[in-house]
Amino acid sequence: QSSVAANYTQQNDNIVASDAASGDLYGTSISVDAVHNLIAIGAPGETSAEGAVYVYSTTDSGASWGSEAKIVSASGTAGDDFGSVVSLSGDTLAISAPDDNANAGANTADSGSVEIWQRVLTQAPSTFTWLYRATLVHTSGGKNFGTDISLDGNTLAVTVPGYVNADRSNGAILIYKAVGTNWTLSQTIVTPLELNDPGNNGWGSKVILRGDYIVTSWPEYNNNKGSVVVFKKNNSTGLFDAAPDVVINPPELVNNDKFGASFDIDPLNSGLLPRLVVGATGRREIFIYDRDTVNNTTQWINVAGLFPSGTQSNDLFAQSVKIYNNNILVSAPEHNSTVNKSGLVYHFESINDQWSEVGIYNESQTLNNRFGSAIEISRSNDYYLFIGSPTSTNGHVSNFIRS
């Protein structure tokens, strides 16, 4: 059971695969849609890394989650890593297989692919089936298409860190939109020129699409100092402006800080200013930015920095970070506690614009569990928190609810 200092409470049963096996890496990726009471969990190591995704639903406000489907790719082969990233939005689920060998022209190692699945009511009132809808691939191979993905409504952002740019460092974010069940490429956003880093490629390895914002990062930029870029939607065109809303690479960064190792955005932020949080694993710090207008100029202003109470230097603090409604959850999956790499998650909260650490969540101390390798929260008043431990025995996801 968890050690809880704040008001998230771990539920009685972990979420586990019914056919769990060692090496499945179940819990590597997690996505929740609280409106539809669904959670998707990736297990990219299953069946010789062919991969699988498990979908669950709840009928008791998140206290327990029942199995709804196991999804595998019909074209899957060993090493595809299907389920490396999952992204739910409503009844639609996007699943990445960044090491898939398929592309639109031929078979090439690590081309990458993304599959789209949809939940359909097949028998009223509550029998659903998940149907395959599409596979998205790039026109050329070897790009690791789908290294990260983010789905918001009928729009999907896909990272392609191997995308070749002739005049700047490689990397791109591809934006797809759906009309019915047809998904088409609507926009390609390439590495901003101000981030051209000669000899270094792979911009856009991580992405979040939420509301009017796309956020992407490049932790390896400039000798691993790192950078984060925000793009904003142009409401006149429905597309994202090619020019960044902001490029953030704080001057205090030093080599190997890896600013942008994690990030999250709360576009509404309790009805106030959009708020961005960025993790830097190398310096064990969370940076907080608010988007505000100063002297008629829109800026992303650094309003706070957060550090954990624990002093272990190599715990991967900030490997994952989530924000909603003035609460920030930050993972440290290699925190040692009483045994090596058992992992924990920190909880910070802002009250009257003052941030403080209000809780620490962990489990029974088990070697190499890496509790917190993935975390996910619901952005609703349900306040679900899910914490993945993919390297524990057979892998599991811990389920918390905030009272």
Side-chain angles (χ1 to χ4, degrees), residues 50-304:
E50 184 173 324
V53 173
Y54 297 79
V55 183
Y56 304 85
S57 59
T58 182
T59 57
D60 56 8
S61 300
S64 62
W65 295 80
S67 177
E68 187 167 289
K70 177 183 178 180
I71 297 174
V72 296
S73 174
S75 60
T77 59
D80 283 354
D81 294 321
F82 180 80
S84 289
V85 188
V86 292
S87 188
L88 264 172
S89 184
D91 287 322
T92 303
L93 172 62
I95 306 168
S96 79
D99 297 318
D100 187 4
N101 291 343
N103 66 73
N107 289 328
T108 308
D110 300 333
S111 301
S113 67
V114 176
E115 289 192 2
I116 308 295
W117 290 71
Q118 188 173 26
R119 185 181 189 238
V120 176
L121 180 66
T122 50
Q123 183 176 341
S126 57
T127 300
F128 294 90
T129 301
W130 284 87
L131 300 179
Y132 164 83
R133 294 303 192 194
T135 298
L136 308 178
V137 295
H138 195 256
T139 54
S140 59
K143 309 303 182 192
N144 291 118
F145 177 93
T147 295
D148 199 8
I149 57 176
S150 185
L151 178 66
D152 189 12
N154 69 341
T155 306
L156 175 68
V158 180
T159 67
V160 193
Y163 187 97
V164 177
N165 297 312
D167 60 343
R168 64 195 76 187
S169 298
N170 291 346
I173 308 296
L174 273 55
I175 311 298
Y176 293 82
K177 289 193 174 182
V179 177
T181 58
N182 296 317
W183 290 80
T184 57
L185 179 65
S186 68
Q187 188 175 2
T188 299
I189 301 173
V190 298
T191 310
L193 273 173
E194 53 263 62
L195 289 180
N196 185 41
D197 195 7
N200 193 12
N201 292 296
W203 175 81
S205 56
K206 298 175 182 294
V207 69
I208 289 175
L209 165 62
R210 189 166 297 131
D212 288 341
Y213 298 94
I214 287 178
V215 187
T216 186
S217 75
W218 192 11
E220 295 77 24
Y221 172 71
N222 191 14
N223 295 309
N224 296 321
K225 291 184 177 72
S227 68
V228 167
V229 183
V230 181
F231 298 90
K232 191 175 187 301
K233 185 181 291 184
N234 185 318
N235 291 324
S236 298
T237 65
L239 300 175
F240 289 88
D241 289 329
D245 196 53
V246 68
V247 175
I248 307 174
N249 41 15
E252 65 266 33
L253 296 177
V254 299
N255 292 353
N256 299 313
D257 274 353
K258 292 202 168 180
F259 177 83
S262 63
F263 53 88
D264 198 14
I265 187 169
D266 188 349
L268 300 178
N269 186 28
S270 302
L272 302 175
L273 303 170
R275 177 163 286 170
L276 172 71
V277 292
V278 182
T281 52
R283 61 188 294 132
R284 303 183 74 241
E285 182 176 359
I286 297 294
F287 295 73
I288 304 175
Y289 299 87
D290 284 350
R291 188 179 191 269
D292 201 356
T293 300
V294 179
N295 297 326
N296 297 318
T297 302
T298 298
Q299 302 178 27
W300 287 86
I301 301 170
N302 185 198
V303 296

